[in-house]
Amino acid sequence: MPNLNEIQKVLIIGGGPTEIGHETELDSATVQIITEFKKHGVRTLIIDNNPFSVALEEIQPTNMYVQAVTTANVRHIIEKDQPDAILPSLGGLLGIRIAQELIENGDIGRYGITILGMPAATLRQINNPAALNATLKEIHEPVIEAQIVATVDEAMGLVDTIGFPLIVKPVAPRLDTNRTVCENVDDMVTALNQGFQQSRFDQCTLERSVVGYKEIEMVAVRDGAGTAVLISGLENVDPIGIHSGDSIVVAPPQTLNDREYQDLRDVTFRIAAELSIVGVLHLHFALNPDNQHFYVTKIAPYFSRGVALAARTSGYPIALVTGALLLGQRLVDVKLPSRFTKQTAIMEPTIDHVSVRIPLWPFQEVPDADQHLDTVMKAVGSTVGIGRSVEEAMLKSVRSSQFSPRDVLPSVSNLSDGEMIRQLIHPLANRILVLIEALRRGYAPDELSELTKIDNYYFVKLRHLLTIEEQIQSHPLDVDVLQRARYFGFGDGMIARMWQTDTAAIRQLSASAKIMPTYKMIEPTAGEFPEDLSGYYSTFEYENESHPLGDRTALVLGRGGNQLGPNSAAEYFTTEMLKQLKRAGYHTILMNTNPNAVGVAPEFSDKQYVDPIQLGDVLNVIQVEHPDIVIVPGNRHYLTRELGKLDDVNLHVLPPDQETGEPAPEMATIGVSLFVHGQQKIAAGVMDMIAPGMNKALSQVTAFRMPAELPKAKRVNLVEAAKQAVSERQVTGMIQVLFAPKSPDSQQLKVVGVRPTRLTEMAFLSKVTGVNWVRMLTRQHIGTLDDDELAKITIDINSNRVALMNAAFPFRQLHVLNRPGSTDQEVGATIAFGSSEALTLTNLSDTAELDQIINRTI
Amino acid sequence: MAKRYLILEDGSAYAGEGFGAGATTSGEVISNLNLLGYQETITDQIYHNQIIIFAQPAIGNVGINHDSYESILPTAKGMVVRDVTNISTNRLSRLSLDEFLQQHNIPGISGIDTRHLIRKLRDVDGPMKGSIVDVADAHAFDQLNATVLTNRQVDQVATPKPYPNPDTGKNVVVIDFGLKHGILRQLSERRCNVTVLPWTASAKDVLNLDPDGVLLSTGPGSPLDLGAGVLDMIRTVQAEIPLFAIGLGHELFALANGAELTMLPVEYHGSSHPIRRIITNDIIYATQGQGYAVIAKSIDRDRLITTYVDLINGTVQGLRHRDYPAFSVQFFADGAPGPHESRDLFDEFMEAMTARREG
Amino acid sequence: MAKVVVDAMAMQRALTRITYEIIERNKGVDDLVILGIKTRGVYLARRIASRLQQLENVSVPVGDLDVTPYRDDIDHDAQGEPEVTATNIDFSVEGKKVILVDDVLYTGRTIRAAMSAIMDLGRPTSINLAVLVDRGHRELPIRADFVGKNIPSSQRERIKVSVSEIDDRDAVEIQQA
C-alpha cells in the first residue's frame, strides 16, 4: 500500500466530451474532487478535451492538458510532469482502461505512480468481465455465468444449458459495444459473427438473459480501512431489457422489501471489499421478482449518472468524500464543510423524499434513429423530480421531461389500441405517457404489469394521479381539489388548462386558500440532525424550511435536462455565469431539474431548488426568495414573456436568445466574434466556420478553426468590416458577424449576417483567448462591467497557436448512418490546440479517429 | 378516507387521512428513521403502546408479507405517515397494510408532514404523548393529557408460558421480554433447539433445562420497572453458561452487573449511526431502537468491558463480562429491518457455546 | 482440493473470542506478555495484542519465537524435533504470564521446544497456549488453553493457515495430501 499522505500531485483522467452515456456529471464530480484535493494541498493536473468543461476553468492553465484522453497522451504527461498518482474514476470506463494499459506497458511501475481508488488487480478485472465473474463466483456472489466461446460451434454446444433468450457480448471489445439479446439460433449466429470481429481476442461470451427482471442499482462509498456506507439504492422502473440510462429511475427503491434491500447492500459491501475499492462504487443487479433471486450485472467503480443521482437525492456529498478517501482519509475522519452536521460523512443516509429521474431522448433531432428503447442506451439527458410521494416526484419529473412551455402534458390519446399495446411492449421515448394513457383507457394495473414487467405498484400510483385528474376536471375552482392537486405534483399550468383559466387565477385561488408551497431541505439524515444544506424541493405540507437567502440575490433558471444542441455548452455558460454573479456580490439561487448539472454544486450556487422550471414553480420560488434579479435562459420565450409582465421582477435573459430578428444566412465560411459594449467593440477572434460534409449550409457548420486560415492582413480587414456591420445594427453583447464568399468562386468575402455568438462558440472563444466571455456578458447584464477593464483586454487575432473545435454526434450509438451532423444534433465537442502545421483542417475530416476519440460510451 | 387528526400533548394538531383501524388511541410518539421495513417496525414489540412516525415517506408499497413479521400480534398504537398505498398484489403480499392494521385495531394516519414532526421531536426534552382522533377538540386534548403511559409493557407483550422451537443443534434458552422474531430466525438458521421462557423465569428454571446458552431478548418499555428477580437470574446464569443479550436484554444485563441507565431525551430508532466495534476498531451499522442507554461512567471496569459504542451520540452499544462469556448489544443484531453486518454476533454466541462445551 | 474451514470473518471472531478468554482467565492483562511462534503465530500474536490494546488501552509486549529448522510452514509441527530460538524479544519474561501463540497445534513438539526456549529466557509465572486451530494427533501431553477452532483431521490431510499480513487473505483450509 503506497503512502497516500505523500501524494502531492494527482493527474485526473478527464471524462472527454459529452456523449450518450455521460454528460456533465463527470465534470461536476471532477470540480468537487479538485476542491477537496486543493483543501488537502494536493496539486491537480487534468487531461481533457471537452471545451465545455467547467473543471478546466477551475485549475491553473499550467496544470491543464487540453488533449484527447488517450493512453499515449496520458503517458506523455506522466513523463513530462511526473505526477505522484493518477485518478481514473472520473473518466468513466475509458479512464479505467487507460490506467490498466499504463500498468500493462510498465509506465505505472517505471514512474512509481499510485493509482487512486483501486488496486491494479481490480482495474484488470473491471476490464475483463470473465475474470471479474470468476472472482465473484469464488466469493460466492450471485453472477450470471458467462461462457467464453471462440466459434459458433462452441456456442451451439452451450445453447441447451443456457437456453434462450441468451446474451452475446464480445470479450474486450475494441470499441464500446453492447450486449445483444438473442431469441433464437439465427440471432445468436449473427451476434457472434459481429462480436468476434469486435473482440480484441476474437471471443464472445454467452450468458443467460435476465430480460424482464427488476434492475436495481446500489451506490456506496468505502474507505481504505474497510468502512463502507450505502448512499442510496436506485430502482429502475423499467425492467432489464431497457438500458438503465433509458429507464425511469426511482430513488430510494420503492418496491423492495427490507430484506431484499439489505441483501443487495451486503453484496455491495462484500464486492467493494473483495475489489479493495476506495471511494465510490456503483453496482447493478437483476432481481427476479418471482423468487427474489438476484444477480450482479454490472460493477462500476467510477463516477456515473447513477452516482450523480444518488448524491443529488441523498444530499450526501459523494464526490467531496471520495476526494478525501482517495487521499487516504478514513470516513470517520472526513471533515465536511460547516454546512454539514459534523459526522455526516460516516452516517448512512436516510432519505425522506422520493426522486424520479426520467430520461430525455434525441429523437426529435435525429428522427431517423430507431426509437425503441432497448439494451443500447439512447438518452442524452434526464430530468429529476423530487417530492414527498411517488406521485408528486413522478409528476414533477414528467412535467420536466415531457416539457411544454405552458406546463401542459402532451397527449397520446390519438394512439390506436393496437399501437398502444405495441408501445407498451416495445416502448418508445414517450413511454411514461403511454403508460398513463393505457390506465386512462381502463387497463388494470396487473394487466399492464404483465405486459410491461413494470411493478404493479407504479401503475397503482399512476392511476391515483388519474383519479386526482378526474377530480380536478369535475370540480372547477374547488379549493380542496386544488390543494390535493398541488399536493400530488400537478403544475399550475396543468390545472389552469383543465379549469380553462390562466395560471394567475390558479395562483390567486391558492393564495386566498393558503395553499402555499413548503420547501424541504435535501439532506441525508431525514431530519434527525439540523443540517444546513442548500438544496430544496417543494411540496405542500405544514412546515417550510426555506428562508430568503438575504440581500442581493440572483435567481438563475437552468435549462433543465440535457438535450442535443448547445446544451452542454449552456451548462458551462450557466455555471460560469453563477460564478460571476457570486463574484459580483450576489447570493445565487439556481433552479434546475438536471441531476447531472454542474451548477447545482454549492461551489457555484448558494442555494438550489430542484423543481420544474415552469411558470408556477418559478413564481413560487420568487415568492419565497424575492430575488433582486431573475435570469431566464434565452430559449424560454413564454416564461420570459410572463415574468416580464411582473413589476417586481428584474428580468435578464441569459444565455441570450439564439434566435435573432433577421433571417439567418444560408451559409457562412468565416465568423468574426465581437464583444459589443456601448461604443466598444472588442474582437474576440476570427474563425473558420467549417461544414464537414457536402452540405455547406450554416446549420451544418459544426467545426471551427481559430484563427481562420487567412492572411493576417485579411483577418484585420474582416474585423474592421465586422465592426462596421455591428455599428449599423442595434446589437450588444457577444456578437458574431458571419462572412461568406461574394460568389461561389470568389476570394472576396462579404457580410451575410449578424447573430449572437452561439454558446458553443462562446465557450470555444473563452478557451482559446483566455478571456472568460461569459463573465463579460454577465457583467454587462448586471451592470458591473467596467470600461477600463474592457479596454485592457488584448487579443491577438493573428495568434500562431491554432485551435480547433469539432462537434460530436450521437449517430453511432443511435445506429444511424455516419453522416455530417447539424448544429442541433450536437451532443458535445472536442477541442484541440497546436501549431498551425500540426493541426490542419484535414485533421478534422479524419473522422475514423475522431469517432474513436469522441464517440465513446460507458 | 376519513379525515382524522394526530394531536400532541404540546397542544398541536395535524390533520390527515385515516387508514387502518378507526380506533382512537393514545401513546408515546416516537420517530423511526429506517429507510424501509414498515412491517418489521410495526410488528416489533418494542413499539408497544407507541405511535410511530415514519421517516420513509411512502408506506405500504409491498403489502404485508409472511416473512416480515417481528411478532404476530402487534400492539403499537398507531402509524403516522406521509403517504400510504394499500396494495396487496405484490409478489409476496397476501394482505394490504390497511387490512392488516384493521385486523389488529391499529389506526394509521397519512398525509402528515412527518419530516416536520421528526424535526420537532428532535428538540423535545422527554417523551411526547399523542393521540390519533376523529376530532381535535378540547375533549380530545383532555383525554390525551389524562392518559398515563403504562409501565407494565413487558408483561403485556411477553409470553406467559414457555414454548419450544425445536431443532437439532445447540440448546438455547431465550428469555422473552417482547421477543423480536428476527432473533428466533437467526437461531433457527443456526439449527438451535430453542426453548422460550417467560421473563419471570428464575435461574433455576433456566439451568434446569441444561442449556448450552441463554439469550435475553429485546422488549419494550423501561428496564427499571422489571424488578430485582430478573437481575438475580442474570447474575446466576451468566456465571454458568454463555449469555447473549439484545436491546432491553442488554439494558438488564448492564443493570445486573452494576451499571446504571439513563433515559434518552429523545428515543432513537434508526440505522444510520456508525457503531465502533472496539476490539477490532472497525465500524458497523445496525438498527438501533432505544429509549434508555447505559451510562458509560457507571460501568464497573472490573466487571464489564465496553465493546461497542455509537460514534454519533457516544452511547454504549455493547458490553461484555470480564469473567464470563456473557455479552450484550444495545442494537438489534438480527437486522429486520436494517443492516445485517452485526448478525455474526449470533455466530459469536454459537462459538462461545461450543468453546464452553469443549473447554 | 483445498476446502476453507475457517473464513476471514470466522478467523476474526476466533481471535476476538480468544482475546476475551485471555482477559477472563487472567482477570485482566496485568503482567501479560505474548509470544508468537513464527511465522503465522507471530501475526496472530500481534492481532491479539492489538485487540487487548483496543479493549484495555494497555500495550501488551509481543515477541517472536523462531522455529528451526522448518521445512515449510504448513505443518512444521510434524517434522521431528524442532529447535526454537527466542528472537526479537526485548523484554523480560521473568515473573510474567506468557501467552504462547501458534497457528496450528498438532503433535505438540513445537510447543514443547518453545516452552524450553522461554524457560531459557527466565522464569515466567505461567505459560498459556493459544492456537487458532487444534487438529489433534498429539504426541506429547500438551493442550491448548485457548482454541480458535477444533478441526479433527486425518494425518494425511494438511491444514493451511493464511493470514492477510503475508498471504492474500485470512483463511484456514484443509488440503488432501
Side-chain angles (χ1 to χ4, degrees):
Chain A
M1 189 71 186
N3 186 353
L4 296 170
N5 294 326
E6 287 169 11
I7 287 173
Q8 289 170 355
K9 201 198 296 183
V10 177
L11 170 62
I12 290 177
I13 300 179
T18 300
E19 59 194 1
I20 290 181
H22 81 81
E23 38 166 319
T24 46
E25 73 275 14
L26 296 182
D27 196 21
S28 174
T30 305
V31 169
Q32 289 171 70
I33 295 253
I34 291 171
T35 306
E36 187 64 22
F37 280 2
K38 213 180 271 173
K39 201 176 96 186
H40 292 268
V42 169
R43 187 177 143 205
T44 307
L45 313 175
I46 186 165
I47 173 170
D48 201 355
N49 61 345
N50 174 5
F52 314 132
S53 160
V54 175
L56 287 179
E57 300 287 332
E58 295 297 299
I59 63 174
Q60 297 296 318
T62 50
N63 296 339
M64 191 195 297
Y65 291 87
V66 182
Q67 295 174 0
V69 184
T70 64
T71 305
N73 285 342
V74 172
R75 185 193 299 123
H76 282 304
I77 300 170
I78 290 174
E79 280 166 9
K80 183 170 165 281
D81 231 330
Q82 310 226 340
D84 302 313
I86 63 172
L87 174 57
S89 61
L90 290 162
L93 194 50
L94 180 72
I96 304 284
R97 274 190 210 151
I98 288 176
Q100 192 205 341
E101 282 178 22
L102 292 169
I103 293 172
E104 277 174 6
N105 63 28
D107 292 314
I108 294 296
R110 191 156 40 244
Y111 292 96
I113 290 171
T114 302
I115 292 175
L116 297 182
M118 68 201 87
T122 299
L123 280 170
R124 202 157 43 236
Q125 299 192 48
I126 298 299
N127 283 311
N128 183 346
L132 186 57
N133 262 9
T135 304
L136 294 178
K137 231 180 116 183
E138 211 171 285
I139 60 167
H140 309 294
E141 299 306 347
V143 286
I144 300 162
E145 274 193 65
Q147 312 274 356
I148 296 182
V149 295
T151 64
V152 170
D153 282 350
E154 277 180 59
M156 291 302 291
L158 293 169
V159 160
D160 279 350
T161 46
I162 298 174
F164 289 106
L166 56 74
I167 284 172
V168 172
K169 267 193 301 199
V171 173
R174 290 190 182 85
L175 290 169
D176 184 73
T177 51
N178 280 280
R179 41 180 52 214
T180 312
V181 183
C182 306
E183 299 287 345
N184 52 46
V185 171
D186 291 350
D187 287 0
M188 182 182 77
V189 171
T190 312
L192 283 170
N193 286 331
Q194 220 167 36
F196 291 145
Q197 282 180 15
Q198 290 167 336
S199 164
R200 279 197 276 169
F201 308 130
D202 306 327
Q203 291 173 334
C204 286
T205 59
L206 286 190
E207 65 187 37
R208 171 211 303 259
S209 165
V210 288
V211 166
Y213 284 26
K214 269 186 198 185
E215 183 161 17
I216 307 292
E217 303 170 48
M218 290 295 220
V219 175
V221 294
R222 180 178 182 273
D223 68 18
T227 301
V229 168
L230 202 282
I231 306 302
S232 181
L234 311 174
E235 175 177 9
N236 288 233
V237 170
D238 294 293
I240 293 213
I242 295 177
H243 192 284
S244 66
D246 282 346
S247 174
I248 299 168
V249 172
V250 177
Q254 299 296 320
T255 70
L256 298 192
N257 65 33
D258 182 69
R259 191 161 30 85
E260 290 169 313
Y261 187 82
Q262 299 298 341
D263 283 348
L264 299 182
R265 179 178 175 277
D266 291 348
V267 176
T268 303
F269 288 177
R270 284 201 298 267
I271 290 175
E274 177 65 23
L275 299 178
S276 303
I277 302 296
V278 172
V280 72
L281 178 63
H282 177 199
L283 297 186
H284 290 241
F285 296 90
L287 176 80
N288 186 340
D290 296 329
N291 59 16
Q292 304 182 61
H293 288 166
F294 61 85
Y295 302 96
V296 182
T297 53
K298 184 178 179 183
I299 297 182
Y302 42 82
F303 285 88
S304 61
R305 87 189 79 80
V307 174
L309 181 61
R312 183 69 49 238
T313 192
S314 66
Y316 184 97
I318 298 180
L320 283 184
V321 170
T322 293
L325 301 185
L326 290 171
L327 298 177
Q329 278 211 318
R330 295 177 311 159
L331 271 167
V332 70
D333 298 322
V334 170
K335 287 197 174 47
L336 291 173
S338 60
R339 58 184 184 271
F340 292 93
T341 295
K342 207 171 103 205
Q343 285 153 307
T344 299
I346 187 104
M347 276 193 275
E348 195 155 277
T350 300
I351 300 167
D352 61 4
H353 49 260
V354 181
S355 297
V356 175
R357 185 185 72 194
I358 300 184
L360 296 175
W361 290 273
F363 301 134
Q364 217 166 344
E365 296 82 10
V366 191
D368 49 341
D370 176 2
Q371 306 196 1
H372 288 102
L373 309 183
D374 52 33
T375 54
V376 182
M377 181 173 169
K378 291 170 179 153
V380 294
S382 59
T383 61
V384 68
I386 303 183
R388 290 265 293 153
S389 63
V390 171
E391 290 92 329
E392 188 183 27
M394 185 76 81
L395 193 48
K396 279 190 187 180
S397 191
V398 173
R399 286 168 50 210
S400 300
S401 67
Q402 302 289 334
F403 177 81
S404 84
R406 288 167 187 263
D407 200 8
V408 175
L409 291 189
S411 164
V412 290
S413 60
N414 56 353
L415 278 183
S416 70
D417 271 348
E419 182 55 27
M420 192 187 71
I421 299 276
R422 251 194 306 285
Q423 292 195 15
L424 285 170
I425 300 168
H426 302 289
L428 301 171
N430 60 357
R431 164 71 139 179
I432 184 74
L433 297 178
V434 174
L435 298 180
I436 296 170
E437 178 65 20
L439 286 165
R440 195 171 269 146
R441 291 186 195 182
Y443 286 84
D446 46 0
E447 273 178 281
L448 290 170
S449 182
E450 185 64 37
L451 274 176
T452 59
K453 307 293 178 203
I454 291 174
D455 196 290
N456 184 43
Y457 172 78
Y458 291 107
F459 292 107
V460 170
K461 296 312 247 184
L462 290 175
R463 194 174 57 181
H464 185 213
L465 284 173
L466 289 179
T467 310
I468 299 164
E469 187 189 70
E470 282 162 20
Q471 287 170 358
I472 301 172
Q473 269 159 345
S474 59
H475 295 79
L477 304 177
D478 178 321
V479 289
D480 289 340
V481 170
L482 179 59
Q483 155 69 30
R484 200 168 171 73
R486 282 185 131 193
Y487 191 69
F488 282 102
F490 283 82
D492 292 351
M494 298 174 76
I495 303 169
R497 161 68 72 93
M498 284 187 264
W499 286 352
Q500 294 171 352
T501 179
D502 57 12
T503 306
I506 300 298
R507 299 189 61 75
Q508 211 164 14
L509 191 60
S510 299
S512 60
K514 297 206 164 50
I515 306 167
M516 304 306 281
T518 53
Y519 292 94
K520 301 284 184 191
M521 189 188 294
I522 302 167
E523 53 88 13
T525 75
E528 187 189 352
F529 291 99
E531 304 274 1
D532 186 22
L533 307 193
S534 50
Y536 291 85
Y537 63 95
S538 70
T539 183
F540 289 81
E541 290 191 272
Y542 180 83
E543 185 184 23
N544 174 43
E545 298 171 30
S546 176
H547 306 290
L549 204 46
D551 293 341
R552 218 172 143 72
T553 50
L555 172 63
V556 174
L557 305 183
R559 304 216 351 167
N562 198 41
Q563 287 173 294
L564 294 188
N567 259 42
S568 55
E571 182 57 33
Y572 163 83
F573 188 102
T574 303
T575 308
E576 289 303 313
M577 177 169 72
L578 285 164
K579 274 160 64 177
Q580 296 318 319
L581 288 166
K582 223 171 172 174
R583 212 170 282 181
Y586 281 96
H587 296 106
T588 53
I589 303 161
L590 177 66
M591 207 171 160
N592 207 352
T593 55
N594 180 359
N596 300 313
V598 185
V600 295
E603 283 85 348
F604 301 114
S605 49
D606 296 312
K607 197 165 180 179
Q608 305 87 33
Y609 286 94
V610 183
D611 266 330
I613 307 162
Q614 296 286 12
L615 183 59
D617 307 82
V618 172
L619 289 172
N620 285 342
V621 170
I622 289 175
Q623 217 159 353
V624 171
E625 296 287 351
H626 302 292
D628 293 294
I629 54 174
V630 177
I631 298 177
V632 186
N635 60 343
R636 297 295 304 272
H637 301 120
Y638 172 74
L639 194 56
T640 305
R641 201 166 63 236
E642 291 300 313
L643 292 175
K645 290 178 187 166
L646 304 173
D647 294 338
D648 51 351
V649 172
N650 178 359
L651 199 65
H652 291 270
V653 178
L654 275 175
D657 193 352
Q658 301 286 294
E659 288 169 27
T660 54
E662 55 182 283
E666 271 173 33
M667 63 170 291
T669 56
I670 301 284
V672 176
S673 285
L674 299 173
F675 188 82
V676 183
H677 182 65
Q679 292 310 303
Q680 294 196 70
K681 300 178 194 70
I682 315 282
V686 181
M687 63 177 88
D688 283 315
M689 311 272 288
I690 304 156
M694 298 295 286
N695 181 347
K696 298 296 176 191
L698 187 58
S699 66
Q700 304 293 309
V701 171
T702 58
F704 307 89
R705 181 189 202 275
M706 211 166 89
E709 222 172 27
L710 293 170
K712 288 183 178 183
K714 186 134 192 192
R715 291 184 200 138
V716 175
N717 288 343
L718 286 180
V719 167
E720 288 313 311
K723 286 182 176 171
Q724 183 59 37
V726 161
S727 300
E728 292 161 5
R729 294 165 170 84
Q730 289 292 321
V731 289
T732 185
M734 196 71 184
I735 301 300
Q736 189 178 46
V737 179
L738 298 167
F739 292 86
K742 280 189 168 159
S743 62
D745 305 323
S746 168
Q747 297 285 317
Q748 295 280 333
L749 295 165
K750 63 168 184 187
V751 173
V752 292
V754 173
R755 64 177 184 181
T757 300
R758 292 170 69 235
L759 303 180
T760 46
E761 281 121 280
M762 210 180 313
F764 180 53
L765 285 163
S766 293
K767 289 275 190 303
V768 176
T769 60
V771 174
N772 189 327
W773 296 108
V774 180
R775 172 198 297 192
M776 296 302 156
L777 199 57
T778 307
R779 288 189 176 184
Q780 184 180 43
H781 263 268
I782 61 178
T784 59
L785 186 59
D786 179 348
D787 284 357
D788 292 346
E789 181 191 357
L790 205 54
K792 275 188 212 135
I793 295 175
T794 53
I795 286 160
D796 180 8
I797 58 160
N798 284 325
S799 165
N800 286 328
R801 193 176 71 146
V802 177
L804 294 174
M805 181 172 73
N806 191 28
F809 299 97
F811 301 137
R812 198 175 59 77
Q813 288 96 327
L814 295 175
H815 292 290
V816 298
L817 290 177
N818 209 0
R819 57 175 185 191
S822 61
T823 51
D824 61 359
Q825 294 173 324
E826 293 168 1
V827 67
T830 52
I831 187 170
F833 291 103
S835 64
S836 52
E837 290 78 22
L839 282 175
T840 64
L841 285 179
T842 49
N843 278 7
L844 278 184
S845 48
D846 186 7
T847 49
E849 195 191 340
L850 273 176
D851 194 52
Q852 253 198 330
I853 298 167
I854 294 164
N855 283 326
R856 287 175 295 100
T857 47
I858 292 174
Chain B
M1 276 180 284
K3 190 167 181 178
R4 304 202 76 197
Y5 296 87
L6 170 72
I7 60 171
L8 301 180
E9 63 175 316
D10 67 357
S12 55
Y14 302 89
E17 286 179 10
F19 67 99
T24 293
T25 57
S26 300
E28 182 185 355
V29 178
I30 55 97
S31 20
N32 184 294
L33 299 160
N34 278 311
L35 192 62
L36 290 174
Y38 58 85
Q39 185 187 341
E40 290 89 338
T41 299
I42 195 74
T43 57
D44 188 340
Q45 295 289 15
I46 68 164
Y47 297 107
H48 175 67
N49 279 354
Q50 292 182 326
I51 294 174
I52 311 162
I53 301 165
F54 285 80
Q56 39 177 318
I59 298 283
N61 308 5
V62 293
I64 294 290
N65 301 305
H66 65 86
D67 51 0
S68 303
Y69 286 102
E70 290 306 308
S71 75
I72 302 301
L73 299 170
T75 57
K77 288 291 185 194
M79 290 181 90
V80 179
V81 307
R82 160 69 202 239
D83 181 65
V84 66
T85 305
N86 289 312
I87 191 169
S88 58
T89 50
N90 180 274
R91 67 202 175 284
L92 292 174
S93 317
R94 294 288 176 272
L95 196 61
S96 77
L97 176 62
D98 186 55
E99 290 161 335
F100 178 76
L101 293 181
Q102 284 179 35
Q103 287 170 11
H104 295 282
N105 202 32
I106 298 173
I109 185 166
S110 70
I112 298 289
D113 189 344
T114 47
R115 179 172 165 83
H116 157 70
L117 289 175
I118 288 167
R119 283 159 53 86
K120 172 174 170 159
L121 287 183
R122 169 176 91 195
D123 300 324
V124 167
D125 191 16
M128 170 83 86
K129 284 187 293 188
S131 296
I132 296 174
V133 296
D134 292 327
V135 186
D137 56 9
H139 175 69
F141 280 101
D142 288 346
Q143 292 277 317
L144 171 60
N145 292 331
T147 302
V148 178
L149 299 176
T150 168
N151 61 358
R152 305 282 298 162
Q153 303 195 3
V154 170
D155 262 349
Q156 291 171 20
V157 299
T159 183
K161 282 185 182 170
Y163 61 89
N165 187 25
D167 210 315
T168 55
K170 297 228 157 19
N171 296 302
V172 175
V173 164
V174 173
I175 308 290
D176 179 355
F177 297 98
L179 175 60
K180 186 172 183 302
H181 286 193
I183 292 172
L184 290 180
R185 279 195 291 273
Q186 292 305 311
L187 295 173
S188 274
E189 264 179 37
R190 291 162 182 80
R191 311 306 305 264
C192 291
N193 181 39
V194 172
T195 308
V196 180
L197 294 185
W199 71 274
T200 48
S202 68
K204 195 156 171 269
D205 295 336
V206 175
L207 296 173
N208 276 349
L209 291 168
D210 189 25
D212 296 303
V214 63
L215 192 151
L216 311 183
S217 85
T218 50
S222 165
L224 301 169
D225 298 337
L226 298 181
V230 66
L231 304 184
D232 288 338
M233 180 275 286
I234 292 170
R235 277 188 292 265
T236 308
V237 168
Q238 72 184 12
E240 301 292 327
I241 51 172
L243 177 147
F244 179 25
I246 304 175
L248 183 67
H250 155 85
E251 292 159 11
L252 293 167
F253 173 71
L255 284 176
N257 289 293
E260 290 165 23
L261 299 176
T262 178
M263 194 171 172
L264 296 176
V266 180
E267 286 207 7
Y268 172 62
H269 299 268
S271 51
S272 64
H273 289 191
I275 299 169
R276 187 188 295 288
R277 173 158 49 198
I278 293 170
I279 192 165
T280 43
N281 196 26
D282 55 359
I283 288 166
I284 60 157
Y285 296 83
T287 292
Q288 294 167 276
Q290 62 185 109
Y292 291 83
V294 175
I295 299 171
K297 275 189 201 155
S298 73
I299 293 171
D300 177 358
R301 295 211 13 107
D302 290 337
R303 289 162 84 181
L304 295 174
I305 303 170
T306 303
T307 54
Y308 289 85
V309 63
D310 181 320
L311 292 181
I312 302 299
N313 56 25
T315 55
V316 174
Q317 291 290 320
L319 291 168
R320 183 169 181 117
H321 204 284
R322 224 168 235 293
D323 300 331
Y324 315 117
F327 58 97
S328 66
V329 287
Q330 179 80 65
F331 52 83
F332 302 149
D334 58 307
H340 295 164
E341 58 245 41
S342 58
R343 279 190 179 168
D344 79 331
L345 278 161
F346 287 92
D347 295 312
E348 218 171 301
F349 182 47
M350 298 298 289
E351 285 154 7
M353 290 189 281
T354 304
R356 194 68 170 189
R357 283 280 165 194
E358 288 173 350
Chain C
M1 260 317 274
K3 187 177 141 216
V4 175
V5 286
V6 177
D7 64 13
M9 291 271 282
M11 195 194 281
Q12 294 294 334
R13 280 198 307 273
L15 291 170
T16 291
R17 183 168 45 74
I18 288 172
T19 306
Y20 285 127
E21 287 175 359
I22 289 171
I23 294 174
E24 284 168 27
R25 199 77 60 88
N26 293 284
K27 307 286 174 206
V29 294
D30 293 346
D31 294 328
L32 274 191
V33 300
I34 305 183
L35 297 177
I37 296 174
K38 273 186 175 175
T39 303
R40 284 166 184 76
V42 170
Y43 296 103
L44 301 177
R46 288 184 194 159
R47 290 197 203 175
I48 291 170
S50 101
R51 281 168 161 74
L52 289 169
Q53 161 97 45
Q54 280 292 129
L55 287 174
E56 302 283 41
N57 208 13
V58 169
S59 174
V60 176
V62 186
D64 305 351
L65 292 169
D66 207 348
V67 183
T68 51
Y70 66 80
R71 200 186 57 181
D72 66 50
D73 52 30
I74 293 171
D75 45 7
H76 54 77
D77 203 25
Q79 305 306 311
E81 292 299 318
E83 253 181 58
V84 173
T85 48
T87 55
N88 215 2
I89 299 177
D90 53 5
F91 49 84
S92 164
V93 299
E94 193 70 34
K96 300 288 182 190
K97 299 177 189 166
V98 173
I99 307 290
L100 185 59
V101 181
D102 203 358
D103 53 354
V104 181
L105 176 59
Y106 190 13
T107 63
R109 291 179 188 277
T110 304
I111 303 303
R112 196 194 66 165
M115 287 193 287
S116 305
I118 294 168
M119 291 311 207
D120 291 346
L121 293 174
R123 192 185 156 78
T125 312
S126 64
I127 301 178
N128 281 328
L129 175 62
V131 295
L132 183 63
V133 174
D134 183 346
R135 61 171 298 188
H137 306 291
R138 214 79 77 243
E139 293 168 5
L140 296 172
I142 284 172
R143 75 190 279 279
D145 303 279
F146 310 105
V147 180
K149 192 166 174 70
N150 284 299
I151 303 177
S153 60
S154 132
Q155 280 179 294
R156 301 216 329 269
E157 290 168 329
R158 288 164 39 127
I159 304 279
K160 181 170 184 261
V161 174
S162 305
V163 293
S164 58
E165 289 90 338
I166 50 170
D167 307 303
D168 61 343
R169 57 174 173 164
D170 283 342
V172 179
E173 291 162 282
I174 296 187
Q175 296 174 323
Q176 300 297 333

